[in-house]
Amino acid sequence: MSALLAVLLAGCGKPVPPERMDYVGRWSAPGTTLTIEAVGRLEYHRKIDRASTEITAEMTTFHDDRIVAGFSFISATFKVDKPPHLDGAEWKMTVDGVEFSRSAN
């Protein structure tokens, strides 16, 4: 049986601070994508077996160790285990225990 959690939240997102622009882009991991836009919008898609999760929301908090997206009492928190860093020609970061990568800009 397939489980789908879809959260579509609109509100006043905060743009990504200049010192955190390395986070901006489309990040991929097996079965998962995380897109962070400079304007403060976040999209998260994860599909494992038959279960899927989709979140589209405005970012409200952006710290070194977490990103919070949502509106009011409905929010999602993403724990940043390792911030974006270059590994050869590829950018990598680890969020909620998942290592993501994106092509170098």
Side-chain angles (χ1 to χ4, degrees), residues 3-98:
L4 173 65
L5 171 63
V7 179
L8 179 59
L9 301 168
C12 298
K14 295 182 181 179
V16 174
E19 66 274 11
R20 293 194 173 85
M21 291 304 288
D22 288 346
Y23 286 82
V24 173
R26 185 172 189 271
W27 297 86
S28 300
T32 309
T33 59
L34 173 62
T35 303
I36 298 173
E37 297 178 11
V39 295
R41 182 181 166 108
L42 177 142
E43 291 186 21
Y44 176 83
H45 300 275
R46 184 171 192 166
K47 185 170 184 180
I48 298 177
D49 298 323
R50 296 181 196 192
S52 62
T53 303
E54 295 183 28
I55 298 169
T56 300
E58 303 297 321
M59 294 185 295
T60 58
T61 307
F62 204 124
H63 295 286
D64 289 332
D65 64 341
R66 71 185 181 284
I67 301 168
V68 180
F71 179 74
S72 187
F73 61 91
I74 302 172
S75 65
T77 300
F78 297 87
K79 184 180 181 299
V80 179
D81 302 303
K82 289 184 184 176
H85 60 280
L86 271 174
D87 183 3
E90 199 170 45
W91 281 93
K92 294 191 177 196
M93 88 168 152
T94 304
V95 176
D96 290 336
V98 177

